[in-house]
Amino acid sequence: MEIKRILTGDRPTGKLHIGHYFGSLQNRVKLQNDGKMFIEIADVQALTDNFNNPEKVKGNVKEVLMDQLAVGLDPNKVTFFLQSMIPEIAELTVFYSNLVTIARLERNPTVKTEIAQKRELFGESVTYGFLGYPVSQAADITAFDATIIPVGEDQLPLIEQCREIVRKFNSIYGEVLREPTAFLGENKRIKGLDGNEKMGKSLGNAIYLSDSEEEITKKVMNAVTDPARIKKDDPGNPNICMVAYYHNLFSKDNVKNICEECKQGKRGCVACKKQLIKNIMEHLSPIQERRHYYEERPKEVREILFEGTNEAKKEAAKTMEKVKEVMKLDYFKDK
Ligand code: TRP
C-alpha cells in the first residue's frame, strides 16, 4: 500500500496555546503514525504580515518547534523543516503565480477576512506578497507531494485554492502534481478565557502550553463566570461560565458533579476555579516537562530542524525536477 504523505504548517508568530492543542496538535500526534509526516515552520509566510518585524518571526521559530516536540510529536517520525531554507518553494510560487488570477485571490474568504483584520498594517492596498500567500502555500504542499493536510476549518479555502492550481498546472503542463485534501479530524475551536469564540494571541485570552502554574492561576481566576452569581451560594449557570467550559476539556470525569454543585449553589467559583487549575496543570505537566527537556538542549532542537530541513530539501528537489521538465525549463538536461 502506498504510504500517505501528510503535511501541515504553522506561522511562527507566537507560542502555541491550548486552542492549538485541542484544535490541531492532538490530531497531529495521532497522525504521525499514519504515514510520512512533514511539519513546516512557515517563516516566509509569517513575514507576509510581519515583514516589518523579522525578529519576532525568528524568535518564534524555536518556540513553535519546541511546543510541537513538547506535545509528543516525535522527531524520528516527523520531518520538521524551515520554509525559508527550501528555495524550491519560492520557485514553485513564481511558476504557480501564472495560474491564479488576482480576482480569484481577492475572493478567497480566508484572505479576505485577514486583509480586513490587518487594515492597520496594509492601509488601503494590500501587498502583493500577502495577497499571494495562498499561492506560496500551494507550493508548500505540492513541493512535498503531500495529499493529506491536517488543518483547521479556516484553512479550507487555501486547500481549495491549492487544488485549483494543481488541476490547472496538470492540464497545461502534464500530470505531475497531486491534489491534496484537507483533514479536519476532531478539530474543535476553543473559546478564549473571555468567552470570545476564538482563543488567540492577539486577543489576549489564551492559555499557553508553556504557561507556569502562577500564570494559569491568574488567568483562570480572572476567567468569565456567570455574572448573575454574586454570592457563593447563589445558584450558578454553567452554560455561560468559561470555567465550566474548560472543565469540560480538562476534567472529563468529575465535570458533571462540579457543575451540578454549582447549579445548586453548593460549590463556589473559587473552589471550582482551583479545581480547574489543578486539572489543567495535571494535563500540561508532562507537556511542560518535555518542553523543559528541549529548552535545556538548544543544540538538539537546532539539529532536529537542520536535519529535517535537509531531508525536506531532497524531497522538494525531486518535485522540482519533474516540474521543470514538463514546463520545458530543463535546458541543460539534454545530452
Ligand atoms: N496558513 C497556515 C496557518 O496560518 C500555515 C501553513 C503554511 C500551512 N503552510 C501550510 C498549513 C501548508 C497547511 C499546509 O495556520
Side-chain angles (χ1 to χ4, degrees), residues 21-48:
Y21 181 68
F22 290 105
S24 67
L25 296 173
Q26 270 188 335
N27 210 355
R28 293 181 189 180
V29 172
K30 276 191 234 147
L31 277 172
Q32 69 179 335
N33 300 311
D34 288 3
K36 174 93 202 95
M37 187 165 191
F38 297 90
I39 298 184
E40 174 181 273
I41 307 211
D43 57 345
V44 178
Q45 188 176 116
L47 284 169
T48 61

Side-chain angles (χ1 to χ4, degrees), residues 7-11 40 42 45 83 114 133 137 140-141 149-151 154-155 158-159:
L7 180 142
T8 190
D10 300 287
R11 296 181 192 178
E40 174 181 273
Q45 188 176 116
Q83 185 185 11
E114 284 173 307
Y133 93 73
Q137 189 157 320
D140 293 340
I141 294 169
I149 318 300
V151 281
D154 64 314
Q155 296 291 303
L158 288 136
I159 308 301

Side-chain angles (χ1 to χ4, degrees), residues 132-190:
Y133 93 73
V135 184
S136 150
Q137 189 157 320
D140 293 340
I141 294 169
T142 52
F144 304 95
D145 192 28
T147 57
I148 298 172
I149 318 300
V151 281
E153 239 170 276
D154 64 314
Q155 296 291 303
L156 293 179
L158 288 136
I159 308 301
E160 189 47 41
Q161 186 123 44
C162 175
R163 291 164 63 87
E164 285 174 29
I165 291 171
V166 167
R167 287 199 290 270
K168 187 120 196 199
F169 183 98
N170 286 347
S171 75
I172 297 172
Y173 303 113
E175 292 285 325
V176 167
L177 307 175
R178 291 199 290 170
E179 279 183 51
T181 1
F183 179 85
L184 285 176
E186 289 173 45
N187 208 307
K188 286 179 255 169
R189 172 167 273 194
I190 305 300

Side-chain angles (χ1 to χ4, degrees), residues 21 25-26 28-30 32 62-77 80 209-210 281-298 300-301 304:
Y21 181 68
L25 296 173
Q26 270 188 335
R28 293 181 189 180
V29 172
K30 276 191 234 147
Q32 69 179 335
K62 63 175 188 309
E63 299 298 339
V64 167
L65 178 57
M66 286 195 292
D67 281 333
Q68 315 243 14
L69 295 167
V71 299
L73 285 160
D74 178 352
N76 293 313
K77 294 180 184 163
F80 291 99
L209 294 174
S210 50
M281 283 320 294
E282 260 169 35
H283 206 95
L284 294 188
S285 287
I287 296 176
Q288 297 192 345
E289 261 168 48
R290 226 175 288 135
R291 199 179 201 282
H292 196 66
Y293 170 94
Y294 286 108
E295 281 166 1
E296 304 229 293
R297 292 165 181 79
E300 193 173 328
V301 175
I304 288 169

Side-chain angles (χ1 to χ4, degrees), residues 35-293:
K36 174 93 202 95
M37 187 165 191
F38 297 90
I39 298 184
E40 174 181 273
I41 307 211
D43 57 345
V44 178
Q45 188 176 116
L47 284 169
T48 61
D49 60 344
N50 290 281
F51 52 83
N52 50 2
N53 201 350
E55 295 83 13
K56 170 176 153 192
V57 174
K58 182 176 184 188
N60 279 305
V61 166
K62 63 175 188 309
E63 299 298 339
V64 167
L65 178 57
M66 286 195 292
D67 281 333
Q68 315 243 14
L69 295 167
V71 299
L73 285 160
D74 178 352
N76 293 313
K77 294 180 184 163
V78 178
T79 304
F80 291 99
F81 69 96
L82 194 58
Q83 185 185 11
S84 60
M85 296 285 287
I86 315 282
E88 285 84 355
I89 294 175
E91 280 184 84
L92 287 173
T93 304
V94 174
F95 300 159
Y96 296 168
S97 66
N98 295 324
L99 310 176
V100 189
T101 65
I102 290 166
R104 175 65 182 86
L105 289 166
E106 284 170 341
R107 273 200 308 273
N108 183 311
T110 304
V111 177
K112 222 167 151 175
T113 313
E114 284 173 307
I115 292 174
Q117 287 166 348
K118 293 173 206 293
R119 268 283 146 80
E120 211 179 304
L121 178 67
F122 292 131
E124 282 311 300
S125 181
V126 67
T127 59
Y128 167 64
F130 190 82
L131 184 66
Y133 93 73
V135 184
S136 150
Q137 189 157 320
D140 293 340
I141 294 169
T142 52
F144 304 95
D145 192 28
T147 57
I148 298 172
I149 318 300
V151 281
E153 239 170 276
D154 64 314
Q155 296 291 303
L156 293 179
L158 288 136
I159 308 301
E160 189 47 41
Q161 186 123 44
C162 175
R163 291 164 63 87
E164 285 174 29
I165 291 171
V166 167
R167 287 199 290 270
K168 187 120 196 199
F169 183 98
N170 286 347
S171 75
I172 297 172
Y173 303 113
E175 292 285 325
V176 167
L177 307 175
R178 291 199 290 170
E179 279 183 51
T181 1
F183 179 85
L184 285 176
E186 289 173 45
N187 208 307
K188 286 179 255 169
R189 172 167 273 194
I190 305 300
K191 291 186 194 177
L193 283 157
D194 55 356
N196 194 304
E197 280 306 311
K198 195 178 165 184
M199 179 174 278
K201 184 174 34 111
S202 50
L203 301 165
N205 62 4
I207 296 175
Y208 292 92
L209 294 174
S210 50
D211 273 351
S212 66
E213 181 159 3
E214 219 183 331
E215 283 162 316
I216 288 173
T217 303
K218 211 159 77 199
K219 287 177 180 178
V220 171
M221 284 300 177
N222 284 317
V224 173
T225 53
D226 177 359
R229 193 175 192 212
I230 296 162
K231 291 193 299 315
K232 185 169 151 246
D233 40 14
D234 288 342
N237 178 2
N239 293 333
I240 52 171
C241 171
M242 290 318 293
V243 179
Y245 176 85
Y246 293 121
H247 267 304
N248 265 306
L249 295 168
F250 289 100
S251 320
K252 285 267 149 42
D253 300 334
N254 55 6
V255 66
K256 262 210 181 112
N257 282 342
I258 293 171
C259 291
E260 218 31 66
E261 285 173 16
C262 164
K263 278 194 221 159
Q264 292 168 12
K266 283 188 191 152
R267 181 191 279 256
C269 289
V270 172
C272 181
K273 285 174 169 174
K274 285 203 167 136
Q275 180 72 45
L276 176 63
I277 293 160
K278 185 167 165 277
N279 294 359
I280 293 179
M281 283 320 294
E282 260 169 35
H283 206 95
L284 294 188
S285 287
I287 296 176
Q288 297 192 345
E289 261 168 48
R290 226 175 288 135
R291 199 179 201 282
H292 196 66
Y293 170 94

Side-chain angles (χ1 to χ4, degrees), residues 6-18:
I6 307 161
L7 180 142
T8 190
D10 300 287
R11 296 181 192 178
T13 53
K15 292 182 175 186
L16 303 181
H17 51 63
I18 61 167

